[in-house]
Amino acid sequence: LGNNRRRIELMTSLLLSLPGTPVLYYGDEIGMGDNIYLGDRNGVRTPMQWSSDRNAGFSRSNPQQLFLPTIIDPEYHYEAINVEAQQNNAHSQLWWMKRILGIRKRFRAFCRGEIEFLHPENRKVLVFLRRFESEQVLVVVNLSRFAQAAEIDLAEFAEMVPVEVFGQTPFPTIGHEPYFLTLGPHAFYWFTLQPSEEQAAAVAVAPQLPSLNVKGGWVEILQGKNGSQVERVLPGHLKGRRWFASKARKILSTRIIESLPVRAGGLDTLICLVEVEFTEGDPDVYQIPLTFSSGVRASQVLELNPHVVVARLTVTGEEGDIEGILYDAVVEDAFCGGLLDIIAARRQRSGRAGRLRGQRTRRFAKVYGAVEGELKSAPLGAEQSNTSLVYGDRLILKLFRRLYRGVNPELEVGQFLTERTSFSNTPLVAGALAYEPRKGEKVTLAILQELVVNEGDAWEFTLDALQRYFERVLANPVDTGELSVASESPLACLDEEIPESVEDAIGGFLEFARLLGQRTAELHVALSSRGDEPDFAPEPITAMYRRSIYQSSRTRADQAFELLRKRLSRLPAEIRGEARSVLNMSNRIDQRLRSVVDRKAGGKRIRCHGDYHLGQVLFTGKDFVIMDFEGEPARPISERRLKRTPLRDVGGMLRSFHFASVSALIAGPVRPEDIPTLEPWAHTWYRWVVVDFLKGYLEGVSGAGILPEDRSQLGALLDLCVLDKALYELMYELNNRPDWVLIPLRGIASIIAEGAPA
């Protein structure tokens, strides 16, 4: 093949896609070449080229003592072509070979399928179909060293979509006319032929569970060659789960990289760590505990919790076939109890590449207490971004679904607050589950915390308060001229008196807003209280930090506005006008963000909550308890652990109050004809609630030295944090809930209307 990379890849693709068992001689995977001058078959028995070291890393002997010589031809010399060099280059032939072998393994049609040759008029283009059961793979190969075009008769597959296997890229839908393709020199395509979206929607009214088969025990389905059966069906299961964070990305493949055994109450479970590879971006790792049941229990799970079922599974043993289901074990009391036992007893469970280890904190005994018998366990409510398991009225275990290398910030911060500070308005951390690989950083799988008795989160409490507020306003109309809807920033209103009519309408919620501000301040003071611990020691706000947060926010603004322009035509007609107005504010927004760079700012950078809003706070009836220190789950742990200005959390809470005031108006039980009357009242509620929150917060952090003392510096920094959060909300709503885009749009417009801090 003349060491031509295109030809090598072309011939390898034919080797792997045509019928028969493909054979690769060692060295073929790196393009090592052969010594054709050696007799018999010795040409392909030369020493393997492992590295550029002596004798290609094959032997430390004198080169003249080798039974067969190394390849020293300049084109294939072991210093140029070796495993070590190609292993470190993701674009090398070695990595290309690994990828194409992995893809071939996913399609049974290549090893057991029938073959049917198609005959385009261009004889330089080879086309054939491989079929097995429901799999249909179309292979198109250009055998010429020049670009070629071909028309292929695919009328049999009309209305189907060819999806390119390597990148999962959909090509134009097949019609009744010959299908036209162009190919570069020595290029090839592997396509799967899939139903179009319309066909899939018509057929998949009630999706059927996939069926799998395994011999021996059910655990064999997750191991060795059998594991590929589960890996093929996992993408369909993941897409339907609330905790799967990448629904907008196209899954390329899944791979079970570890399985950790948990046996409790007669139930065998394997905690599977599943690597999900996408067509774009880095892969993710998810935690899925899987178990098997048959008979009555299988019927109960199918009836009560069908969403946890991965597949139907038939296990063939010496006593015949056992039909059951493979499903997520979080619905099993025995599994939940087993996790608690591993933490309580600090047990370990070994897997293929590491171990599962339970750990408990010094507060475990205080939280667990004296319990007679086992604590009854149950999953907590509907699916969220993680899965929570409740044990009686004492403990809650958060099972992290999406995993990251390193200690999860929720465990790190929670344990710090529990053991190193006196802050009591957060759940005590009792223990955790960790995966410790033999190589690399450990991974936090779950965190065990005190279960706080509460009346719901602060978000629901706030919406209820807003509903009562609107009812009072409508029942006792007041001239809107009496409302204080000044355009100054909240900081500028700190010294103003709230109008009596407004105070009466808002009622006792103002006191709760001030209390939440105090608790937020106490949290930040606690997080900055240990200068002797490097991970939590406060650091000064430098010019470089101010520049970095400006650049980060500016990038977010560019991304948000670009997305808004693309989605503008899809937005509801009544929103487009406000969207265009915000787009016209781009220069003013940049000026507001830049104001942080243009002035000095005192204060400190500390570890923060990271994703602070009303939904992250529990209301006990008299007080607030702050939870969920995980940070924004979409960001890597290294970024979530960064120290930031505490005003980042304050800005998040201010935006949450605004979000509540507008959502209660447009999505709450408010009559459409009352909305014009209530709009100025909603703005007034937001303004004075935020003022009281800030009063409580600023009083609480007074003397701690973590905020700028100068009011203008404080205002500029807070302004950036609030605006950055609003831009984040705009992107989130555009991608997930276009009907809610109005709220961040109004938030951005309101911030700009307030004017820059003095």
Side-chain angles (χ1 to χ4, degrees):
L1 300 176
N3 199 25
N4 184 302
R5 175 75 179 266
R6 280 181 176 268
R7 289 184 179 183
I8 292 172
E9 292 182 357
L10 176 85
M11 296 304 292
T12 303
S13 77
L14 288 173
L15 179 71
L16 299 178
S17 59
L18 287 167
T21 302
V23 176
L24 290 171
Y25 285 97
Y26 74 88
D28 284 355
E29 66 272 31
I30 61 172
M32 195 173 90
D34 305 326
N35 187 343
I36 61 173
Y37 299 104
L38 294 176
D40 195 25
R41 285 180 286 177
N42 291 333
V44 292
R45 291 174 178 167
T46 49
M48 181 64 182
Q49 295 174 187
W50 295 109
S51 68
S52 60
D53 294 340
R54 183 179 187 178
N55 296 323
F58 179 83
S59 169
R60 302 302 300 171
S61 300
N62 186 308
Q64 299 184 67
Q65 290 181 300
L66 296 181
F67 185 79
L68 290 172
T70 57
I71 295 176
I72 57 173
D73 182 82
E75 192 171 12
Y76 303 99
H77 199 287
Y78 60 80
E79 290 185 352
I81 297 178
N82 60 74
V83 174
E84 183 180 60
Q86 294 200 20
Q87 182 69 32
N88 295 328
N89 180 4
H91 306 286
S92 66
Q93 185 173 326
L94 174 62
W95 277 104
W96 179 88
M97 190 72 74
K98 287 182 178 182
R99 285 191 286 269
I100 195 171
L101 288 174
I103 288 171
R104 184 188 188 274
K105 288 178 181 179
R106 299 208 307 267
F107 294 96
R108 292 174 293 171
F110 284 136
C111 56
R112 286 187 280 172
E114 300 175 352
I115 187 168
E116 176 187 349
F117 286 94
L118 305 181
H119 303 283
E121 289 186 6
N122 187 341
R123 310 305 295 176
K124 297 177 182 178
V125 177
L126 176 68
V127 184
F128 57 89
L129 281 162
R130 300 300 307 273
R131 307 192 209 207
F132 182 77
E133 296 179 351
S134 61
E135 286 184 5
Q136 300 178 115
V137 183
L138 175 69
V139 179
V140 185
V141 182
N142 179 13
L143 300 173
S144 170
R145 61 192 177 97
F146 301 109
Q148 299 292 328
E151 292 185 338
I152 308 167
D153 183 7
L154 296 175
E156 177 187 352
F157 306 101
E159 306 306 321
M160 299 190 79
V161 177
V163 178
E164 200 271 332
V165 166
F166 295 89
Q168 290 295 301
T169 306
F171 273 50
T173 304
I174 299 170
H176 295 280
E177 300 295 325
Y179 197 76
F180 185 78
L181 277 176
T182 56
L183 299 95
H186 294 315
F188 68 92
Y189 290 125
W190 290 357
F191 295 107
T192 58
L193 302 180
Q194 300 179 5
S196 62
E197 291 184 4
E198 293 77 9
Q199 288 177 314
V203 173
V205 177
Q208 299 293 317
L209 285 172
S211 297
L212 308 176
N213 298 274
V214 67
K215 293 182 179 179
W218 75 267
V219 294
E220 299 295 328
I221 195 70
L222 301 174
Q223 300 171 351
K225 294 182 179 179
N226 291 311
S228 60
Q229 292 190 57
V230 179
E231 291 168 352
R232 282 195 294 270
V233 304
L234 276 176
H237 177 72
L238 289 170
K239 288 177 182 177
R241 302 286 64 79
R242 166 70 176 80
W243 42 260
F244 183 63
S246 302
K247 294 181 178 64
R249 301 168 71 188
K250 188 167 290 186
I251 297 177
L252 187 62
S253 65
T254 59
R255 185 168 64 95
I256 299 173
I257 58 176
E258 180 63 287
S259 52
L260 304 161
V262 176
R263 179 173 177 78
L267 182 75
D268 287 317
T269 302
L270 287 176
I271 296 178
C272 297
L273 307 188
V274 180
E275 184 181 71
V276 184
E277 188 175 351
F278 303 93
T279 55
E280 296 179 355
D282 295 330
D284 292 338
V285 177
Y286 283 86
Q287 174 181 195
I288 310 177
L290 294 175
T291 190
F292 171 78
S293 287
S294 59
V296 175
R297 181 54 186 157
S299 300
Q300 291 174 341
V301 173
L302 283 167
E303 180 181 356
L304 300 175
N305 300 286
H307 62 282
V308 303
V309 181
V310 175
R312 297 185 185 275
L313 179 60
T314 301
V315 181
T316 302
E318 296 179 357
E319 299 179 359
D321 292 349
I322 300 175
E323 295 185 355
I325 55 172
L326 186 70
Y327 60 101
D328 197 313
V330 294
V331 296
E332 293 292 350
D333 291 342
F335 169 70
C336 300
L339 295 182
L340 181 59
D341 178 65
I342 291 174
I343 294 174
R346 299 189 179 97
R347 301 186 191 280
Q348 299 181 11
R349 297 288 184 269
S350 296
R352 295 192 302 247
R355 63 181 179 177
L356 170 70
R357 188 169 72 86
Q359 56 192 61
R360 46 187 281 189
T361 67
R362 294 195 295 262
R363 297 298 186 94
F364 178 85
K366 177 181 179 180
V367 177
Y368 192 78
V371 179
E372 295 182 3
E374 294 184 357
L375 288 173
K376 187 177 180 181
S377 60
L380 180 63
E383 285 189 344
Q384 299 295 325
S385 57
N386 296 299
T387 299
S388 295
L389 309 174
V390 175
Y391 298 89
D393 60 353
R394 300 197 179 186
L395 297 164
I396 182 170
L397 180 78
K398 179 188 284 189
L399 203 68
F400 298 112
R401 291 296 192 162
R402 187 178 178 184
L403 304 177
Y404 300 86
R405 292 187 177 184
V407 178
N408 192 289
E410 180 156 14
L411 175 60
E412 183 184 23
V413 175
Q415 195 165 355
F416 173 81
L417 292 172
T418 297
E419 298 184 338
R420 305 291 288 165
T421 75
S422 58
F423 183 66
S424 58
N425 286 73
T426 189
L428 296 175
V429 175
L433 285 170
Y435 172 64
E436 299 177 342
R438 295 189 185 94
K439 294 182 179 179
E441 296 180 272
K442 68 179 180 179
V443 178
T444 304
L445 300 182
I447 178 173
L448 184 68
Q449 295 172 299
E450 169 192 20
L451 180 63
V452 178
V453 179
N454 63 85
E455 296 184 1
D457 59 35
W459 172 259
E460 293 298 330
F461 174 65
T462 302
L463 291 181
D464 290 342
L466 274 162
Q467 184 179 345
R468 294 192 297 271
Y469 169 73
F470 290 150
E471 290 172 354
R472 287 193 290 270
V473 168
L474 292 173
N476 301 285
V478 178
D479 183 5
T480 54
E482 298 182 23
L483 299 182
S484 175
V485 289
S487 60
E488 292 88 1
S489 67
L491 284 175
C493 301
L494 289 178
D495 299 325
E496 294 185 14
E497 291 292 329
I498 181 173
E500 185 177 348
S501 59
V502 175
E503 187 174 12
D504 291 341
I506 298 177
F509 191 80
L510 289 171
E511 291 299 321
F512 284 113
R514 183 177 292 227
L515 177 62
L516 181 56
Q518 292 173 0
R519 296 293 177 251
T520 306
E522 291 167 5
L523 169 67
H524 288 160
V525 171
L527 287 171
S528 62
S529 62
R530 300 303 302 247
D532 56 334
E533 297 197 15
D535 290 336
F536 288 88
E539 297 177 4
I541 291 179
T542 61
M544 182 177 293
Y545 174 71
R546 298 198 310 273
R547 169 65 65 175
S548 71
I549 59 175
Y550 160 68
Q551 293 291 356
S552 175
S553 297
R554 182 182 177 184
T555 300
R556 194 192 299 278
D558 291 341
Q559 294 172 343
F561 287 155
E562 182 181 356
L563 186 61
L564 182 59
R565 291 187 188 96
K566 288 181 179 178
R567 305 283 174 85
L568 189 62
S569 60
R570 305 182 202 173
L571 295 177
E574 61 273 15
I575 298 179
R576 291 176 199 160
E578 296 190 48
R580 292 190 184 95
S581 297
V582 169
L583 284 172
N584 292 332
M585 296 177 184
S586 58
N587 290 334
R588 295 168 64 188
I589 289 172
D590 184 61
Q591 292 174 5
R592 293 289 289 275
L593 295 174
R594 185 181 291 275
S595 64
V596 168
V597 182
D598 296 338
R599 69 183 80 194
K600 294 182 179 180
K604 302 288 185 182
R605 290 185 293 129
I606 64 171
R607 291 293 293 273
C608 298
H609 185 284
D611 189 24
Y612 198 48
H613 54 80
L614 290 167
Q616 306 285 41
V617 180
L618 295 177
F619 180 59
T620 65
K622 296 181 179 180
D623 207 342
F624 294 102
V625 175
I626 302 170
M627 60 178 187
D628 286 345
F629 293 90
E630 189 180 355
E632 294 180 10
R635 299 182 182 276
I637 280 184
S638 59
E639 187 173 340
R640 286 185 259 164
R641 296 184 71 245
L642 292 176
K643 295 172 184 174
R644 306 176 188 274
T645 170
L647 292 175
R648 176 184 173 91
D649 286 349
V650 176
M653 188 56 70
L654 265 55
R655 284 298 310 143
S656 193
F657 280 126
H658 179 267
F659 214 96
S661 68
V662 180
S663 62
L665 193 65
I666 65 176
V670 176
R671 297 183 306 171
E673 58 266 31
D674 291 331
I675 290 180
T677 302
L678 293 175
E679 277 185 341
W681 284 96
H683 180 72
T684 299
W685 179 93
Y686 164 70
R687 174 53 48 85
W688 291 111
V689 163
V690 162
V691 166
D692 266 42
F693 173 84
L694 287 173
K695 285 180 179 179
Y697 179 77
L698 294 174
E699 289 173 5
V701 297
S702 177
I706 59 176
L707 293 183
E709 294 182 2
D710 183 86
R711 181 66 66 87
S712 66
Q713 295 176 3
L714 177 66
L717 205 52
L718 178 60
D719 201 42
L720 179 140
C721 293
V722 176
L723 188 52
D724 182 76
K725 186 67 175 180
L727 292 167
Y728 169 82
E729 291 169 3
L730 178 60
M731 295 180 65
Y732 179 86
E733 302 303 343
L734 283 168
N735 284 319
N736 295 278
R737 300 181 298 185
D739 292 342
W740 288 67
V741 168
L742 180 64
I743 300 177
L745 285 175
R746 288 188 175 177
I748 294 170
S750 175
I751 296 166
I752 298 302
E754 289 170 357

